[in-house]
């Protein structure tokens, strides 16, 4: 069986995978760049923590409530994002991140600098691992359903060309809000798991640097693809454990990595047009050819 | 009642009058040509009709209903489809997926219908038929950005037809096409008219626009300087002045 340390790291990675999948829906599919995704994660975590500690709401009832509330706040916060595109959208989402974090930090209701502690996890660590795994699988299923649906097609058409999408019958405002609602709802799920796993949360956990880490995951793995989001979350989730001796330079390494990827593999490791998937496709075609001719 | 009625339509861009109290109308089933020198306001007019721009003043009525305050997707749903002068395909989508996006206009409004799978055989088959109608079905699996210009333009027409439009706005569909390509496109435009689609055609290719249109509106600096049959337009001194007069001054 897995050791306690491995389980802890695995749960963290599971939460990161959910975050990467959720940001990938907003930024990868719908093309709405967000540099403030940790804000939605934080809203989910604080909502979950408050429900649990102030109102004694059990884990399984708090779960749908947290997802719904985060999705609702996410769609409200999307409204200022509707009027801006690209770099201005990036700046707006950074602003949202700082505002949300400041609210957690300075409004006494949210525990101020002390954060919120005393959240009781309903599971043992190993059960928590299995629960997280199930939620990751559910998120993957949701993602697969989304990309095959008309809604997913509408989201991707916004990324490709907003004007062309609009004149093709895509309600731009509705589907942008939908992307933010789904993405922030899933980030709320990640926040719910995080709050109950850590049992203590504070505003520092959900700052701008965390948003960059989540964005790095999908850029590194391959933006706009599910496999890329998962791989990026796994690699960048494991990296701090491996690089623990050089943890102080983590930001430097992430930054360097991002620049390297942008220069040499802008599609990420597993992006559709990246080197590895292309090699894989060639190998698969050649590998299959003899089988076809033989049978 | 006119099928499409544009009345005293003006558009100012920071003091520049791109359109100045433009009046014209279109009857159902008609092909109306719009010509004019560069910067005459032709594309601005399309952008306003299709909801991408709001007019500064004036109204547009489509089948008697005002549409100048509607959003682009609402105008698309109402049955007005358009193409762009510089192609605007969904670059990284396949040709087939490009058409599917517009076919989705029936499914986007409802929550349940938009949650359904889009790659069903019925939808894919319908998209293929549209591609066949404009003659790009051979490219259905290609990535749109890799298409030659002529096929990109035809793809845009297929995408526009996926909206099942009753009015089609074509912005310089002949530009950059080879002779045979533009002949084929002219044939397609005539077939679409026979199927009952009304068409407004912006075109610099005079031969094509004169052959296809029943009526022509001439714009210059946002003002309508002439309107009439191709024969009337060809001999109109003001039109000749707008096109040729200025070149003489330069020379």
């Amino acid at each position: 069986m897995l050791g306690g340390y491995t389980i802890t790291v695995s749960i963290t990675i599971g939460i990161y995978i959910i975050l990467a999948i959720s940001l990938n829906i907003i930024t990868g599919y719908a093309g709405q760049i967000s540099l403030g995704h940790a804000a939605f994660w934080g809203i989910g975590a604080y909502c979950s923590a408050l429900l649990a500690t102030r109102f004694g709401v059990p884990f399984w009832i708090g779960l749908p409530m947290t997802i719904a509330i985060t999705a609702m706040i996410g769609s409200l916060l999307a409204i200022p994002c509707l009027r801006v595109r690209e770099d201005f959208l990036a700046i707006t989402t950074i602003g949202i991140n700082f505002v949300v974090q400041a609210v957690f930090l300075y409004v006494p209701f949210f525990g101020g600098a002390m954060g919120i502690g005393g959240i009781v996890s309903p599971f043992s660590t190993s059960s928590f691992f299995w629960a997280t795994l199930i939620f990751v699988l559910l998120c993957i299923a949701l993602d697969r359903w989304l990309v095959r649906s008309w809604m997913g097609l509408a989201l991707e058409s916004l990324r490709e060309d907003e004007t062309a999408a609009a004149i093709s019958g895509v309600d731009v405002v509705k589907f942008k809000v939908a992307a933010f609602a789904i993405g922030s709802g899933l980030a709320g799920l990640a926040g719910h798991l995080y709050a109950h796993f850590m049992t203590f949360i504070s505003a520092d956990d959900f700052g701008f640097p965390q948003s960059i880490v989540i964005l790095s995951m999908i850029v590194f793995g391959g933006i706009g693809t599910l496999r890329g989001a998962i791989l990026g979350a796994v690699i960048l989730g494991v990296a701090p454990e491996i690089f623990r001796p050089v943890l102080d330079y983590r930001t430097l390494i992430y930054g360097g990595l991002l620049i390297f990827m942008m220069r040499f593999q802008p599609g990420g490791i597993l992006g559709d047009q990246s080197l590895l998937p292309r090699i894989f496709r060639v190998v698969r075609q050649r590998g299959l050819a003899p089988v076809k001719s033989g049978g | 009642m006119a099928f499409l009625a544009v009345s005293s339509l003006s558009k100012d861009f920071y003091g520049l009058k791109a359109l100045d109290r433009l009046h014209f109308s279109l009857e159902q089933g008609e092909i109306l040509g719009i010509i004019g020198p560069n910067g005459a306001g032709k594309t601005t007019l399309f952008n306003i009709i299709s909801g991408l721009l709001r007019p500064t003043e004036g109204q547009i009525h489509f089948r008697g209903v005002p549409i100048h305050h509607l959003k682009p997707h609402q105008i698309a749903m109402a049955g007005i489809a358009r193409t762009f002068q510089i192609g605007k395909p969904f670059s990284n989508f396949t040709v087939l997926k490009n058409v599917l996006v517009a076919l989705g206009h029936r499914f986007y409004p409802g929550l349940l219908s938009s949650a359904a799978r889009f790659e069903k055989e019925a939808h894919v088959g319908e998209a293929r038929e549209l591609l066949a109608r404009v003659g790009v079905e051979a490219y259905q699996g290609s990535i749109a950005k890799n298409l030659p210009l002529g096929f990109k333009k035809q793809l845009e027409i297929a995408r526009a037809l996926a909206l099942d439009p009753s009015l089609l706005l074509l912005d310089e569909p002949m530009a950059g096409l080879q002779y045979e390509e533009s002949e084929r496109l002219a044939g397609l435009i005539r077939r679409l008219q026979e199927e009952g689609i009304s068409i407004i055609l912006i075109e610099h290719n005079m031969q094509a626009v004169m052959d296809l249109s029943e009526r022509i509106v001439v714009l210059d600096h946002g003002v309508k300087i002439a309107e009439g049959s191709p024969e009337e337009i060809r001999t109109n001194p003001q039109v000749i002045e707008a096109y040729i007069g200025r070149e003489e001054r330069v020379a």
Side-chain angles (χ1 to χ4, degrees), chain A residues 45-46 49-50 53-54 101 103-119 199-206:
Chain A
Y46 268 84
L50 288 170
T53 57
R54 299 275 169 87
Q101 198 189 14
V103 168
F104 292 152
L105 197 57
Y106 297 114
V107 177
F109 180 72
F110 297 105
M114 300 299 293
I116 301 175
I119 307 155
T199 69
F200 165 78
I201 57 165
S202 71
D204 278 349
D205 303 349
F206 312 107

Side-chain angles (χ1 to χ4, degrees), chain A residues 112-181:
Chain A
M114 300 299 293
I116 301 175
I119 307 155
V120 181
S121 166
F123 308 119
S124 67
T125 311
S126 67
S127 315
F128 209 107
F129 168 78
W130 292 113
T132 307
L133 183 65
I134 288 167
F135 284 121
V136 168
L137 293 176
L138 284 175
C139 286
I140 290 173
L142 180 80
D143 182 282
R144 288 299 81 191
W145 158 76
L146 181 67
V147 293
R148 292 191 173 106
S149 71
W150 289 108
M151 187 190 285
L153 185 64
L155 296 187
E156 289 198 273
S157 73
L158 289 181
R159 176 194 66 205
E160 291 298 312
D161 193 314
E162 207 174 298
T163 306
I167 60 110
S168 299
V170 175
D171 184 340
V172 174
V173 168
K174 181 175 105 174
F175 283 105
K176 275 189 187 175
V177 171
F180 273 97

Side-chain angles (χ1 to χ4, degrees), chain B residues 90-117:
Chain B
F90 303 111
S91 304
N92 297 305
F93 285 3
T94 61
V95 166
L96 192 71
K97 205 170 168 186
N98 263 273
V99 176
L100 281 166
V101 172
L103 271 186
H105 74 281
R106 300 175 207 150
F107 306 99
Y108 298 140
L111 188 64
L112 275 181
S113 59
S114 67
R117 272 189 60 208

